[in-house]
Amino acid sequence: MKSTINKLFTLLFAIVIFSGSSFAQEDDQVLKARSGKFALTNAKIFTVTNGVIENGTLLISNGIIEAVGTNVTIPADAEVIDVEGREIYPGMIDSGTTLGLSEIGSISEAQDFREFGALTPQMQALTAVNPNSVAIPVTRVSGVTTVWTMPQGGPLPGTAAAINLFGYTPDQMFAGSKGVVMNFPSTPTGWRARRLTEAQKKERMDRALKTINDAWDKAELYAKIENADDVRAYPEIEALVPVVKGELTLFIEANAAADITAAITWVEDRGYEQVVLTGVAEGWRVADEIAASGLSVITGPVQAIPTRQSDRFDAAYANPAVLQKAGVKVALRTMEAENVRNLPYHAGFAAAYGMGREEALKAITINAAEILGVGDQIGSIEVGKKANVFVATGDPFETATKITDLFIDGYKVPMTSRQIRLYDEFLNRTPSVDKTKPVIDIKKK
Amino acid sequence: MKRLKKLRLQLAVLFMLSMGHVMTFAQSDPTGDSPVTGTFALTNATVITSPGSMLTEATVVVRNGLILNVGQNVNIPANAEVIDATGLYVYPAFIDGMSNTGAERPENPERPRDLFTPDPPNEYAGITPERSVVAQLDASNSSIASMRKTGFAISHTVPYGRMLPGSGSLILLKDADHADEMIMARDVALYAQWVGAPGAYPGNILGMMAKWRNLYRNAELNKQHADMYAENPSGLARPTSSRVSQAFYPVLTKEKPVMFDVSGMLDVRRAMRLQNDLGFTLMVAGVTQAFELVDEFKATGVPVFLSLDLPDEPKEIKSDDKSDEVAALEARRMEFYKKHVGQAGLLAQEGIQFGFSSKGASGGKIMANIRTMIENGLSEDIALAALTTNPAQMLGIDQVTGTVESGKLANLLVSTAPVFEKDAQIKMMFVDGDKYEYDTKDKKEASKATASTGDATGPYAAVLGSWTYTFRTPQGEQTGKMIIKNGAAGLEGVFTSDDGSPDTDMNDVNFRDNELTFNLELDAGGQSILLVVQGTVSGTSYDAQATVEAFNVTLEISATKDEK
Amino acid sequence: MAAVLVAQTPTGDVLIKNGTVLTVTNGTLENTDILVRDGKIRRIGKNLRTPNGVMEVDATGKFVMPGIIDAHSHIAGSAINEGTSQVTAEVSMEDVVDPLDVSIYRALAGGVTSIHLMHGSANVIGGQNETMKLRFGTTDPDDLRFQGAPRTIKFALGENPTRGGRSRGIQPQSRMGVENMLRNAFTQAVEYREEWAAYNANKDPRKVAPEYDLRMQTLVDIMNGDVLVHCHSYRADEIYMLLKVFSDFNIPKITFQHANEAYKVAPELAAFGASASVFADWWAYKLEVYYSTAYNAAILTENGVLTSINSDSGELIRHLFHEAAKTQKYGELTDDQALALITLNPAKQLGIDDRVGSLEEGKDADIAIFDKHPLSVYAIPQMTFVDGVKYFDIENDGDDQRIYINPESSISEMTLYERHNDHRCMEGAFLDMEEYFSIFKK
């Protein structure tokens, strides 16, 4: 009896999903996420860390992956979803966005990722995230389940956070890790630098780094004295102390080749252990140095114009592959707010231009998770990890592929967003236009 | 009166009708500046009468502003000051095809209170073709003496301004009490630039191209109307008196050419496109990328004045393990450097006649740049032609100047060595028959001299060194250091910024009569913004205004000199 | 004065053998050859013979499609927007073409052969655009001209012109003002047309001409049907407004550019016969695109509106084939429908579909070859031909494609790509002093 009900359920879902691609909403019916036990059967499962399971079952329960494999016992109270012919992937992770911190680009009141002041590392991206941002459902229905959302601006703009794209408060969305963002100063490169000697260049660099080095010196001092009595509160410096102590990761943004190597030297001089390089647009120029440093890299957007006029047209597309082949651990980012949904396509381009599908997939799943410090929780389909997965009709890097089901934190998230609802409303608008009585009367020649 | 058709005829008439060169000897002069005689004889000199044509052991006789005689056995008048020119080289003095020499930059017009940006007043937009550079000429402007010292006797001086500042005039670079004395020929060309109105229409090249077409077409219609009315006004509407249209009438009839100030190849092509659409007589000057335009120049025959400004030679990174990429990029960049410095030679080779213009070039670098061009394929004869006979012909004054020949203007350059040699120094200049002498040093002394002007007692002592500035911008106050020092070609300086942003070079640094002026070129996301800074130094204070040229907005800068 | 040299269009001959030919108008032809002579497609068929001296390209396993046409581009322009007036019909992008822009080469490397270089969108009535072919390698702007292409002009509605008006203290500062400005301009143009018609008809030998106004004359040309209007617009209500204005002034042809909300008035657009040139998925960068949907192109196509996808970006232009493919994710368009969005449809909107936009005998040999089906994300452009001349070949792709290098430039000069700065439509639009002084506060 139960299996009949399950089959009816499956049928209903199938009708809903495959009825001309419209994820139709009944009048006055609001689609809500559901938690529970789900068994996805007959799937091709891309675990990322343990290969591809050709015809397997994925069991989701209590928010986590309970079982995955070809011989999984399905509990009686599980909702069975037959996804024959489709593929299951870990939810994709975008390692650099301003999603949730920016609603409309041209309206400064709607931007919350940039604060005033030269030194603001204590600004928390997490609490400023708008969990109800229209862009969040738009993003997750494309299979991106987790993003790193980051403050922007001066040398130390704030503390970034990893968020799952489901939840009604930032705490519900919090994916488990944060990090301090640092923008490494740019070395002079243009015509001004022509006439400088190496000593002069170093002197200018030191001057530019002064603000940053002063702050870190203070942080190191603060770390030593913080347990004493009578230590003043100093939020800006206190925010840096966990990095000094090795408890929090520092994410350093550097893009020009000279800046990347300068940043690596700076990290070595200061001796901080948990550091990640971000941006790295010209990483391909200094890939060996980056590999030698042992630092991981978050790079992107892949679909970008090369940094120099003299560069090959595909320099940005090929950048991640060059880094990865040199032995660097690479994660990809879009640097988007409203179009994070294009992450799989950035990965697709990286794959096409040298990285290959497998590595490109890792760059937006397990590598990203590990670099962001949540590698034990998400980024692959393994027992015990959070149930952040999606079901697709094929390769998610291809545009013809449709995402049919989505799970975040074990919740089955409805495949709807404002853009989908607008499609439904306007594909066949009611009323349309009365063709017998033209609204517009034009005396055509 | 019958209209004269050719520019040169017109000028010849003008010249003959002009006051010419009148010496008023019979006056007491307590300064002692007046010369004793207006007749000079340079004896035993090597005289290059015209490019490729040399006389040795020759004498040049100058009288009352004209060259009386040139030759090996010429009669020297009794009242002549005889100058032994043994070992010296006499050349025709140089002619500058386009510059601002002698002109004072006027104040920017005030922004009207209710400026309607789509349709600003012509004066504000910079559309003033009716004006003449004569109104800007100042006989005491220091550029006159400094260009003369570089070897120039005549300059086609064009007015400061924007899109259509007015007409340029030919001036003689001589000491005078009044600008009128310097004018050789008034309003010889309508001067045009690709500089838009400040924050109003036409703001950039798009608007300027269309505006040109509109102005020109309306000038044609207005002229038709005016001509018809002049013949017989009966029954006709009275023509509106538009000074702008009227300024175009001689251009419409091709009596007056348009001189377009253009640098890059795209700018030159735009000027040529306009000429093709509208039909006026065109000259282009200030050309920096002529190497791409050889075919166009040949096909159209448009008179060309190459810029005397050349890019600095790129410095290559000295390193043993230079990457292939770096080497390739440097090689390509050098390739284009070579094109720039070789373009004069290229044009010569292609049989294209050209002159030179100094606008935009730093005075101290002109001769060095010419030498660079000679090293890169330009023959000395053609270099000289481009400075003398070519511009004389292109500007229609070849009957009266450009060579050292009897009957021509006494414009002479007297050099201690062949003029394009590195160590050659100008010992004397004759402009309009007036003699100017200069101290020459031997090589070592000369280089010592430039070094020593860095001392505290030099003319720039008041500004040299380090200043702390405050710059008031809409975003708040910016502070940093302004550091000024002596460079090879004059004053140099740099603006540093306290927040660690890259330094900004100060360009065109000038200090005279306690006025310190310079430009800053800022880079705002790829777009170049020019700040023109002018201010007064009093003691250890400097108060200045920075004008954002593009938008006619002024901001305050003040600085205090740092103690040593 | 001797005439300026007329640029000679280089044309080529080539035989592209054995590829999968995506004709767009006649379906997909497997193992088919294309013979190009003098820059035109001479024959499409199987087992064609290679004439003497004609270069052969082996396209076995590869996909051959018509060169991509970007109906909204700002690359290759020295200036984009004459923003000091709200009506500037008299200016033209043909005066500011910059053939030295490396972006041209990079677009060729993305399979693009023609672009519509557009004036910016700060003005209600902007300047004339220039349809061009990407014949990269020349320093003469005239060499890029698409000979015979109809004249087009840029209009703009919505936040861009109203923001420009607010920053300069002039009209328009509201959508009401935008409509008023349009109607005003056309009304003035009608008067101008009548004035000059009267003058021309006047037989009096002593007649005096009215003032000549290139701006008004251009508006007259629009009303006479000699200039196609492409209007930057977003909101459904302003799109509808323009349809009514054009209806009142008897202008039958209009292409709405961007038109993020065109899907809301798709039936009206179809009824009018208007067309749309849209983004695949850009939205939320301004309030007027907040209510967009990426399904826009699909909805329009399904409702019978001639639709194209454009880039408005020097970055996006390089993968327009990928942007078009998104209509199979956000919608159910077929392969041919998707390909048409970047080939035949923009050609029609620019009035050049008799020459380009599909692979048919007699058309220009503007051809792009890919190693995989162009709608796959893994497709890498291999070769691009314009008029039968190969301008891009990935096997012979030199590193440094610059045509001109400033000798005073630094070799390590770099600019970081930032997508939110990519929208060149806005250039020259406002007097944003803060922006300009941000140099001191990086």
Side-chain angles (χ1 to χ4, degrees), chain A residues 160-236:
Chain A
I163 51 172
N164 290 320
L165 298 186
F166 178 68
Y168 290 95
T169 66
D171 287 334
Q172 285 184 352
M173 294 174 73
F174 185 49
S177 73
K178 294 186 182 181
V180 171
V181 176
M182 180 167 121
N183 287 315
F184 203 77
S186 301
T187 45
T189 52
W191 54 270
R192 296 182 185 93
R194 268 189 298 137
R195 295 189 222 121
L196 298 179
T197 64
E198 286 311 306
Q200 281 175 318
K201 280 191 189 159
K202 174 156 195 329
E203 191 258 326
R204 280 176 193 225
M205 191 54 165
D206 287 343
R207 221 175 334 121
L209 274 173
K210 192 175 181 314
T211 316
I212 290 176
N213 277 325
D214 281 351
W216 287 103
D217 288 341
K218 288 189 175 139
E220 286 171 13
L221 175 59
Y222 201 95
K224 290 198 187 100
I225 66 174
E226 67 180 338
N227 291 319
D229 297 329
D230 248 14
V231 177
R232 62 163 288 191
Y234 200 163
E236 288 81 3

Side-chain angles (χ1 to χ4, degrees), chain C residues 184-312:
Chain C
N184 234 26
F186 281 120
T187 307
Q188 282 179 12
V190 169
E191 281 179 11
Y192 182 86
R193 181 169 59 182
E194 283 164 9
E195 222 183 356
W196 272 90
Y199 169 77
N200 287 327
N202 190 347
K203 301 275 186 257
D204 180 1
R206 280 163 61 76
K207 61 183 177 178
V208 174
E211 187 183 330
Y212 176 75
D213 188 339
L214 186 54
R215 180 177 298 171
M216 286 295 124
Q217 183 58 53
T218 311
L219 292 172
V220 169
D221 293 346
I222 295 172
M223 292 192 295
N224 289 346
D226 294 332
V227 182
L228 298 172
V229 178
H230 283 248
C231 184
H232 160 120
S233 50
Y234 289 115
R235 279 237 306 253
D237 52 284
E238 64 197 7
I239 293 171
Y240 186 70
M241 176 275 289
L242 194 68
L243 291 177
K244 300 200 73 166
V245 171
F246 271 35
S247 166
D248 288 347
F249 286 95
N250 287 319
I251 304 170
K253 278 192 166 166
I254 171 76
T255 300
F256 289 95
Q257 292 272 354
H258 308 324
N260 278 44
E261 288 196 353
Y263 67 93
K264 293 182 178 172
V265 284
E268 280 77 10
L269 289 168
F272 186 98
S275 50
S277 186
V278 304
F279 293 124
D281 61 9
W282 279 9
W283 69 293
Y285 48 95
K286 294 154 80 186
L287 181 57
E288 52 192 350
V289 298
Y290 190 48
Y291 297 89
S292 309
T293 175
Y295 294 84
N296 193 20
I299 295 172
L300 290 165
T301 304
E302 301 285 7
N303 276 274
V305 178
L306 179 69
T307 305
S308 67
I309 285 189
N310 65 53
S311 75
D312 193 8

Side-chain angles (χ1 to χ4, degrees), chain A residues 228-249:
Chain A
D229 297 329
D230 248 14
V231 177
R232 62 163 288 191
Y234 200 163
E236 288 81 3
I237 302 302
E238 287 174 62
L240 301 176
V241 168
V243 171
V244 169
K245 289 187 179 169
E247 293 164 8
L248 197 60
T249 306

Side-chain angles (χ1 to χ4, degrees), chain A residues 147-428:
Chain A
V147 305
W148 182 247
T149 193
M150 34 192 286
Q152 311 267 292
L156 285 158
T159 300
I163 51 172
N164 290 320
L165 298 186
F166 178 68
Y168 290 95
T169 66
D171 287 334
Q172 285 184 352
M173 294 174 73
F174 185 49
S177 73
K178 294 186 182 181
V180 171
V181 176
M182 180 167 121
N183 287 315
F184 203 77
S186 301
T187 45
T189 52
W191 54 270
R192 296 182 185 93
R194 268 189 298 137
R195 295 189 222 121
L196 298 179
T197 64
E198 286 311 306
Q200 281 175 318
K201 280 191 189 159
K202 174 156 195 329
E203 191 258 326
R204 280 176 193 225
M205 191 54 165
D206 287 343
R207 221 175 334 121
L209 274 173
K210 192 175 181 314
T211 316
I212 290 176
N213 277 325
D214 281 351
W216 287 103
D217 288 341
K218 288 189 175 139
E220 286 171 13
L221 175 59
Y222 201 95
K224 290 198 187 100
I225 66 174
E226 67 180 338
N227 291 319
D229 297 329
D230 248 14
V231 177
R232 62 163 288 191
Y234 200 163
E236 288 81 3
I237 302 302
E238 287 174 62
L240 301 176
V241 168
V243 171
V244 169
K245 289 187 179 169
E247 293 164 8
L248 197 60
T249 306
L250 177 62
F251 290 79
I252 302 181
E253 174 92 9
N255 283 293
D259 294 344
I260 295 169
T261 46
I264 293 173
T265 308
W266 183 86
V267 170
E268 283 162 10
D269 287 346
R270 294 219 73 115
Y272 301 139
E273 287 176 355
Q274 271 180 267
V275 176
V276 172
L277 290 174
T278 66
V280 193
E282 292 198 338
W284 57 276
R285 289 206 151 86
V286 289
D288 292 333
E289 282 97 318
I290 300 175
S293 75
L295 296 173
S296 300
V297 161
I298 296 174
T299 186
V302 176
Q303 290 172 350
I305 295 181
T307 51
R308 302 188 195 176
Q309 294 269 296
S310 53
D311 279 345
R312 284 182 53 89
F313 73 95
D314 57 1
Y317 303 157
N319 187 31
V322 172
L323 288 165
Q324 182 259 324
K325 288 195 174 116
V328 180
K329 186 161 171 182
V330 178
L332 297 178
R333 67 178 195 183
T334 59
M335 282 311 268
E336 282 279 353
E338 70 271 5
N339 267 340
V340 172
R341 57 184 169 180
N342 284 327
L343 180 66
Y345 306 133
H346 288 257
F349 270 59
Y353 283 84
M355 215 176 184
R357 264 205 77 209
E358 207 181 306
E359 283 299 325
L361 183 60
K362 282 166 67 178
I364 57 173
T365 51
I366 191 61
N367 287 358
E370 286 173 357
I371 291 173
L372 297 175
V374 288
D376 54 335
Q377 297 186 54
I378 53 174
S380 58
I381 297 184
E382 296 179 49
V383 172
K385 282 200 169 177
K386 277 205 167 108
N388 283 10
V389 300
F390 67 90
V391 181
T393 55
D395 179 356
F397 292 172
E398 291 280 24
T399 47
T401 300
K402 300 275 204 300
I403 314 270
T404 58
D405 302 84
L406 177 69
F407 292 85
I408 302 181
D409 250 347
Y411 279 84
K412 189 170 199 313
V413 179
M415 292 298 294
T416 183
S417 73
R418 185 163 75 195
Q419 301 206 355
I420 291 172
R421 292 194 289 278
L422 287 168
Y423 179 52
D424 292 337
E425 182 179 351
F426 287 96
L427 182 60
N428 281 306

Side-chain angles (χ1 to χ4, degrees), chain C residues 19-30 32-34 41 44-45 63-67 335-336 339-340 343-344 356-361 363 366 373-374:
Chain C
T20 303
V21 176
L22 308 167
T23 64
V24 176
T25 42
N26 288 321
T28 300
L29 309 173
E30 306 279 344
T32 300
D33 304 340
I34 299 179
I41 298 175
I44 300 177
F63 292 77
V64 186
M65 66 172 280
D335 283 0
D336 274 346
L339 289 174
T343 53
L344 187 63
V356 291
S358 58
L359 294 177
E360 295 179 49
E361 289 171 8
K363 283 202 169 177
D366 291 357
H373 194 287

Side-chain angles (χ1 to χ4, degrees), chain B residues 45-376:
Chain B
T46 307
V47 182
I48 293 85
T49 54
S50 67
S53 181
M54 177 164 29
L55 294 173
T56 48
E57 295 163 2
T59 299
V60 180
V61 180
V62 166
R63 187 174 75 179
N64 290 343
L66 297 179
I67 297 170
L68 185 60
N69 225 333
V70 185
Q72 283 173 327
N73 281 316
V74 299
N75 188 35
I76 298 175
N79 67 341
E81 175 185 338
V82 177
I83 301 166
D84 179 9
T86 309
L88 298 180
Y89 294 75
V90 180
Y91 293 84
F94 299 154
I95 299 172
D96 188 350
M98 178 183 73
S99 78
N100 292 126
T101 308
E104 289 276 318
R105 188 190 282 271
E107 271 184 40
N108 281 333
E110 237 184 70
R111 190 186 159 98
R113 280 209 55 186
D114 297 313
L115 178 64
F116 184 57
T117 59
D119 193 16
N122 278 331
E123 289 75 25
Y124 184 75
I127 298 172
T128 54
E130 73 280 3
R131 291 191 184 164
S132 169
V133 72
V134 168
Q136 292 178 3
L137 288 177
D138 177 2
S140 65
N141 189 290
S142 61
S143 59
I144 299 169
S146 76
M147 283 306 280
R148 180 174 61 228
K149 195 169 173 193
T150 314
F152 289 87
I154 293 174
S155 159
H156 173 220
T157 296
V158 294
Y160 286 103
R162 295 188 167 265
M163 188 176 140
L164 283 161
S167 298
S169 301
L170 297 176
I171 64 166
L172 292 152
L173 302 184
K174 56 190 281 190
D175 283 346
D177 294 323
H178 191 278
D180 280 353
E181 295 167 44
M182 295 164 43
I183 297 172
M184 189 177 161
R186 266 189 84 115
D187 301 342
V188 299
L190 186 69
Y191 175 60
Q193 305 183 85
W194 292 126
V195 176
Y201 185 86
N204 64 29
I205 186 118
L206 282 164
M208 285 190 272
M209 292 286 285
K211 187 74 179 171
W212 252 95
R213 294 186 177 108
N214 221 47
L215 286 175
Y216 201 86
R217 184 88 180 94
N218 275 309
E220 284 174 337
L221 294 175
N222 289 347
K223 185 165 190 304
Q224 269 172 35
H225 186 188
D227 288 347
M228 214 166 34
Y229 193 78
E231 254 186 58
N232 175 14
S234 167
L236 274 186
R238 185 177 65 83
T240 48
S241 170
S242 159
R243 56 179 69 178
V244 171
S245 275
Q246 285 168 12
F248 273 96
Y249 291 175
V251 175
L252 300 175
T253 57
K254 301 207 173 124
E255 282 166 56
K256 192 176 189 181
V258 174
M259 174 170 273
F260 248 105
D261 185 350
V262 288
S263 54
M265 60 181 106
L266 292 177
D267 282 339
V268 177
R269 285 211 165 96
R270 281 162 197 152
M272 293 173 85
R273 173 192 286 268
L274 268 188
Q275 188 281 322
N276 196 37
D277 288 348
L278 303 174
F280 53 83
T281 306
L282 173 68
M283 293 198 281
V284 294
V287 182
T288 55
Q289 291 170 13
F291 45 87
E292 293 290 349
L293 298 163
V294 168
D295 292 338
E296 278 85 343
F297 289 152
K298 270 192 180 162
T300 58
V302 67
V304 177
F305 291 90
L306 295 179
S307 174
L308 281 167
D309 186 31
L310 289 179
D312 291 340
E313 181 162 2
K315 282 201 185 53
E316 302 195 337
I317 298 172
K318 299 207 187 331
S319 158
D320 289 325
D321 60 348
K322 214 192 288 194
S323 72
D324 287 341
E325 186 199 12
V326 168
L329 290 174
E330 286 182 342
R332 281 212 78 206
R333 182 179 59 181
M334 182 59 81
E335 180 196 325
F336 279 89
Y337 172 71
K338 290 290 179 200
K339 283 193 187 187
H340 274 265
V341 298
Q343 68 179 3
L346 175 65
L347 258 63
Q349 207 180 315
E350 295 283 340
I352 297 169
Q353 188 193 55
F354 62 90
F356 281 122
S357 62
S358 75
K359 186 168 185 284
S362 151
K365 288 194 182 161
I366 286 177
M367 281 316 284
N369 286 346
I370 297 175
R371 282 194 295 269
T372 305
M373 292 187 222
I374 292 172
E375 283 162 28
N376 284 281

Side-chain angles (χ1 to χ4, degrees), chain A residues 99-101 112 124-132 136 149 161 163 169-170 173:
Chain A
L99 178 56
L101 298 173
D112 291 310
Q124 296 293 323
L126 178 63
T127 36
V129 163
N130 177 6
N132 301 299
I136 289 178
T149 193
I163 51 172
T169 66
M173 294 174 73

